[in-house]
Amino acid sequence: MSNRKPTRLLVLCLLVALLQTVVDSAYAQDRGSDVKPSVSKIAYPETAKTAQIDDYHGTKVADPYRWLEDLDSAETRTWVEAQNKVTFGYLAQIPERRRLHARLQKLWNYERYGVPFREGGRYFYYRNDGLQNQSVLYTMASLSASPRVLIDPNTLSSDGTVALTDTVVSPDGRLLAYGVSASGSDWQKWRVRDIETGTDTADILKWIKFSSVSWTKDAKGFFYSRYDEPSAATKMEELNYYEKLYFHRIGTPQSDDVLVYERKDQKEWSFGGTVTEDGAFLIVTIGQGTENKSRIYFKSLADSGATITPLLDDFDAAYSFVGNQGPVFIFSTTLDAPRGRVIAVDTRTPDRASWKQVIPQVAETLTDVTLVNNSLVARYLKDAHSQVKVFGLDGAFIREVAFPGLGSVTGFAGKPGDTESFYSYTSFTTPTTIYRIDLTTGASTEFRRPKVGFDPSRFETTQVFYTSADGTRVPIFISHRKDLKRDGRNPTILYGYGGFNVSITPEFSVASLVWMEMGGIYAVANLRGGGEYGEAWHEAGTKAKKQNVFNDFIAAAEFLIGNRYTTPAKLAISGGSNGGLLVGACLLQRPDLFGAALPAVGVMDMLRFHKFTIGWAWVSDYGSSDDPADFRSLHAYSPLHNIKPGGKYPATMVTTADHDDRVVPSHSFKFAAALQAAQGGSAPVLIRIDVKAGHGAGKPTSKRIDEATDRFAFLVRELDIQMPK
């Protein structure tokens, strides 16, 4: 919470009934019984209500569970413990849970690699030996040399809940700046490690969120962004405003860091500082919330008296710095190109008439460009799967990189003079494989291929297209075992996101593989609001048009049912964060269409999301209840405010975490309490609240396995799945 006291309860004592889930005696005696526990057998914790009512532009809106926003109060903690006792008691009665955990753990135990990068004459990469809670950072002098552990985050905590968030090597390869976060928090603490000795320097930087660092060419220090220190009591809820750009000199305390840039008149502006490869300039990228637009300022680092100078200051499009040739800066942009293009801007003649187009917009969506081997490597999305093309600095096409199938690719980093790079390829049925590419010939060779204990030839992914309510053509990936019969009885998970210009592309997941082994279908719909088809696709799912996203998801469910992949009783919907909002809205709008719902860390209170941590930044996608027109559209679909007393809702298990300081857990707390109170059907409504966890990033392997186990156990029970022997 920000600048206000915790809400006081009208009733100070929360009365809680802590009862174990009771199951039918037949089920307890016969592990093969199809009888499900009845919702009447579950005694939910009693959730106190208050008389809180807010006035939104003349509309009175009740918020009886407002007290659950006080995350550290004794009443909220008691409620969390009581809910978890009911949920875990319920899950403990599902006999398949133990088998699921064993299979997930066995398959998860495989060697995984990150994409290598080279700096200061050394190579660096991440590796996980299988069940390590956190991946370990290694370094080696050459590709044929033996790797050496540089940072093992598993040694930073006993339970694996401290994670590396980012690592940046100094240009001379001597020092490593690295960020860590605890219990999944967005707050990062940065340190500096001597790469040769493996010891840390005295440098410690705090109160950093959503920022990396960028070293100066001489490796004497780096630029980074931070917020002012929050109050200890509200650091997990307090609004994050007024980010500032600093320079830190190695060997000095953070209190001596030089303030490079701030805007006291712009509390919502965020700053990212990047030093050009030649060390001549500092590029300052300025954002505002999550809007897909930016400003670009710059400063000469050769001139000690130089100031920050605006270059692209109209906030009219997205601009992403790619590299420079002296004073000529190369950017990818959405200006006059909603699917992206590449331009060159000469800082000596920065007027728009002097800009040069290097790579024009094409039918595919441009997602990333790197300058390596004195060429431009452009990554595109073609119907939500990766495509990579290489161009000269003059924009002349050189080649397209070939991949094994419909998958996702990351990597292609490097310096202008490098002749090699690395990239990863993955798909729904292909574990992430690392390749080295010779950029002079275009030849790719395998660098690391993981060995997972399954036969990929037994599974397949197809991409098809369906029609949404307004006639829009939407792609969907459908993955399953090849021997699956389309008889309308297959248990199915439909996943979606649909927001913030985020593209959902094919990705290998042990959890999805186990689901398919069980005979399940895993379907991923590429909804409007995402970035799969550029800015127009994104904008079609924002603010007053947000209902398009829900319509796309509902149409995907109807497509799967209509084409006999599944039936409502066997269909579960799943999504996290903005995807949790998606699931919450859809289960309320079409409860008849789904057998189960799994909303994770969701934005459920659309009238108050902007009052916590970084929630204000989402107004660009959602709008704000402070605006009368936005309020009407938000109130129309806000999950918390569209629960109808006595409604018959599908089996629902909400998941969240007590340290989520991005989408604060009160969203899920209030939604679960309201849905439990309103449920008029026989399906259970549970909430699983992880402790020492956050929004998802950095979650330990053990917690990921436990959560997947419980989600699948819940679906096995509620979708009446007969697991293979």
Side-chain angles (χ1 to χ4, degrees):
M1 299 180 188
S2 177
N3 300 323
R4 59 187 176 86
K5 296 180 181 179
T7 304
R8 294 184 180 275
L9 292 176
L10 297 180
V11 179
L12 295 178
C13 296
L14 175 66
L15 301 177
V16 182
L18 300 179
L19 299 178
Q20 291 280 6
T21 301
V22 179
V23 296
D24 295 314
S25 59
Y27 171 67
Q29 297 173 11
D30 181 4
R31 298 169 74 91
S33 172
D34 292 334
V35 178
K36 298 179 186 178
S38 168
V39 72
S40 62
K41 300 289 186 178
I42 301 177
Y44 297 117
E46 182 179 338
T47 306
K49 294 183 179 182
T50 69
Q52 177 69 43
I53 295 178
D54 300 307
D55 188 323
Y56 291 92
H57 318 289
T59 299
K60 301 293 194 299
V61 179
D63 192 3
Y65 304 116
R66 177 76 60 83
W67 61 272
L68 284 170
E69 292 179 359
D70 189 352
L71 302 178
D72 292 320
S73 72
E75 293 85 3
T76 299
R77 290 178 178 177
T78 299
W79 184 88
V80 167
E81 292 172 2
Q83 290 285 353
N84 269 344
K85 186 165 186 178
V86 168
T87 296
F88 287 108
Y90 179 90
L91 293 169
Q93 302 301 318
I94 303 173
E96 295 88 352
R97 188 178 182 221
R98 183 172 296 179
R99 284 178 57 196
L100 284 165
H101 188 275
R103 183 57 177 160
L104 283 162
Q105 189 173 62
K106 181 177 181 179
L107 275 183
W108 222 295
N109 192 13
Y110 74 96
E111 204 171 28
R112 301 184 293 283
Y113 294 89
V115 178
F117 60 95
R118 190 169 182 263
E119 190 68 69
R122 301 189 64 86
Y123 291 90
F124 302 84
Y125 69 94
Y126 286 92
R127 173 183 172 273
N128 192 304
D129 66 13
L131 294 179
Q132 287 177 295
N133 276 319
Q134 304 290 342
S135 293
V136 178
L137 180 65
Y138 290 82
T139 184
M140 53 189 180
S142 68
L143 294 181
S144 59
S146 298
R148 171 171 62 89
V149 173
L150 183 55
I151 297 182
D152 182 358
N154 298 289
T155 64
L156 302 179
S157 63
S158 60
D159 56 3
T161 56
V162 173
L164 280 174
T165 57
D166 198 5
T167 52
V168 185
V169 180
S170 62
D172 59 5
R174 187 174 59 87
L175 298 172
L176 172 79
Y178 68 96
V180 298
S181 72
S183 302
S185 172
D186 281 335
W187 288 115
Q188 303 174 62
K189 181 184 293 184
W190 281 77
R191 297 178 181 271
V192 177
R193 177 158 296 190
D194 185 301
I195 292 174
E196 186 61 34
T197 65
T199 58
D200 285 347
T201 67
D203 303 82
I204 300 177
L205 308 181
K206 299 179 180 180
W207 310 121
I208 300 170
K209 274 190 181 186
F210 319 120
S211 175
S212 187
V213 308
S214 186
W215 289 89
T216 53
K217 194 69 174 179
D218 60 10
K220 291 183 178 180
F222 52 74
F223 297 91
Y224 74 100
S225 299
R226 59 160 289 191
Y227 294 96
D228 291 335
E229 182 176 352
S231 65
T234 60
K235 67 180 181 180
M236 302 300 288
E237 304 163 68
E238 188 173 313
L239 286 164
N240 303 137
Y241 285 130
Y242 296 110
E243 190 176 41
K244 300 176 177 67
L245 180 64
Y246 285 90
F247 176 74
H248 174 73
R249 183 171 293 276
I250 299 301
T252 64
Q254 188 177 22
S255 58
D256 289 349
D257 287 355
V258 177
L259 176 62
V260 177
Y261 196 71
E262 68 172 333
R263 287 295 292 266
K264 294 181 179 179
D265 60 329
Q266 298 290 344
K267 66 180 181 180
E268 295 182 352
W269 283 20
S270 59
F271 306 103
T274 302
V275 178
T276 56
E277 189 59 44
D278 59 9
F281 300 96
L282 171 68
I283 308 297
V284 181
T285 301
I286 301 172
Q288 187 168 2
T290 54
E291 194 158 3
N292 194 33
K293 295 178 182 178
S294 53
R295 293 177 170 86
I296 302 291
Y297 294 2
F298 75 104
K299 175 184 178 180
S300 171
L301 295 177
D303 181 0
S304 60
T307 58
I308 301 288
T309 302
L311 179 65
L312 307 171
D313 201 21
D314 292 329
F315 203 61
D316 52 359
Y319 298 94
S320 180
F321 180 73
V322 175
N324 69 303
Q325 294 178 287
V328 179
F329 295 173
I330 301 172
F331 298 96
S332 62
T333 182
T334 58
L335 181 69
D336 300 324
R339 293 185 302 280
R341 63 183 176 127
V342 178
I343 61 173
V345 179
D346 192 324
T347 57
R348 296 165 299 187
T349 55
D351 57 289
R352 293 196 179 202
S354 301
W355 295 4
K356 294 182 179 179
Q357 178 168 272
V358 181
I359 303 174
Q361 176 179 249
V362 294
E364 294 77 30
T365 302
L366 182 66
T367 60
D368 186 60
V369 183
T370 53
L371 200 170
V372 59
N373 191 38
N374 293 310
S375 58
L376 299 172
V377 181
R379 283 167 40 201
Y380 293 91
L381 281 183
K382 180 179 176 62
D383 291 330
H385 61 269
S386 291
Q387 181 185 68
V388 175
K389 297 179 181 179
V390 183
F391 300 87
L393 292 177
D394 59 357
F397 175 76
I398 298 175
R399 68 175 65 90
E400 183 173 341
V401 181
F403 304 116
L406 303 183
S408 302
V409 172
T410 61
F412 294 99
K415 302 180 184 304
D418 290 348
T419 58
E420 71 170 355
S421 188
F422 298 85
Y423 66 89
S424 68
Y425 171 83
T426 185
S427 75
F428 291 113
T429 58
T430 305
T432 301
T433 303
I434 309 299
Y435 292 87
R436 176 186 179 274
I437 183 170
D438 185 329
L439 292 167
T440 59
T441 66
S444 294
T445 54
E446 281 188 12
F447 179 70
R448 296 288 187 272
R449 175 178 287 274
K451 296 178 181 179
V452 186
F454 84 110
D455 179 4
S457 67
R458 295 179 55 214
F459 304 89
E460 65 181 1
T461 297
T462 56
Q463 185 184 44
V464 295
F465 296 81
Y466 65 90
T467 303
S468 191
D470 62 356
T472 299
R473 186 171 179 260
V474 182
I476 183 171
F477 292 102
I478 305 174
S479 303
H480 51 74
R481 288 189 341 210
K482 287 182 178 178
D483 62 357
L484 179 134
K485 296 179 181 178
R486 280 170 55 178
D487 56 9
R489 296 185 296 177
N490 301 297
T492 300
I493 294 176
L494 172 61
Y495 174 86
Y497 186 79
F500 299 101
N501 203 43
V502 173
S503 300
I504 304 301
T505 61
E507 182 180 19
F508 181 78
S509 160
V510 169
S512 299
L513 175 63
V514 169
W515 176 256
M516 290 187 282
E517 281 186 337
M518 293 162 54
I521 294 172
Y522 183 64
V524 176
N526 297 107
L527 316 172
R528 280 175 285 184
E532 290 87 347
Y533 291 103
E535 187 55 30
W537 188 258
H538 166 225
E539 290 181 352
T542 61
K543 294 188 174 179
K545 300 176 183 177
K546 188 66 176 178
Q547 185 60 41
N548 285 336
V549 184
F550 311 139
N551 290 345
D552 288 355
F553 202 52
I554 288 168
E558 292 173 334
F559 173 85
L560 293 169
I561 294 166
N563 286 271
R564 295 185 59 75
Y565 286 99
T566 191
T567 189
K570 295 286 188 180
L571 177 59
I573 49 175
S574 174
S577 194
N578 176 76
L581 159 64
L582 169 74
V583 172
C586 289
L587 80 86
L588 297 174
Q589 291 183 17
R590 288 296 305 275
D592 60 303
L593 203 55
F594 315 112
L598 298 170
V601 293
V603 188
M604 299 304 197
D605 184 347
M606 299 309 297
L607 304 186
R608 290 177 58 77
F609 70 85
H610 58 304
K611 296 182 179 294
F612 303 96
T613 63
I614 200 65
W616 61 264
W618 313 333
V619 170
S620 59
D621 241 53
Y622 295 147
S624 167
S625 61
D626 296 337
D627 178 271
D630 287 347
F631 163 73
R632 287 191 292 272
S633 60
L634 288 166
H635 193 235
Y637 71 76
S638 176
L640 179 63
H641 302 96
N642 282 275
I643 299 170
K644 296 179 175 59
K648 295 184 178 181
Y649 297 113
T652 301
M653 186 168 73
V654 179
T655 52
T656 189
D658 66 346
H659 277 68
D660 189 343
D661 52 359
R662 190 174 307 176
V663 180
V664 291
S666 55
H667 281 276
S668 293
F669 294 175
K670 292 162 67 175
F671 179 75
L675 196 61
Q676 286 177 348
Q679 175 67 297
S682 60
V685 175
L686 304 174
I687 180 168
R688 183 188 188 276
I689 305 162
D690 207 345
V691 295
K692 295 190 73 176
H695 199 60
K699 183 175 291 187
T701 298
S702 58
K703 284 183 176 287
R704 293 182 185 277
I705 292 173
D706 289 346
E707 184 173 319
T709 298
D710 291 344
R711 286 159 64 89
F712 288 166
F714 183 76
L715 294 185
V716 163
R717 192 66 181 159
E718 297 309 321
L719 300 186
D720 194 18
I721 299 173
Q722 302 301 312
M723 288 184 61
K725 298 296 184 183

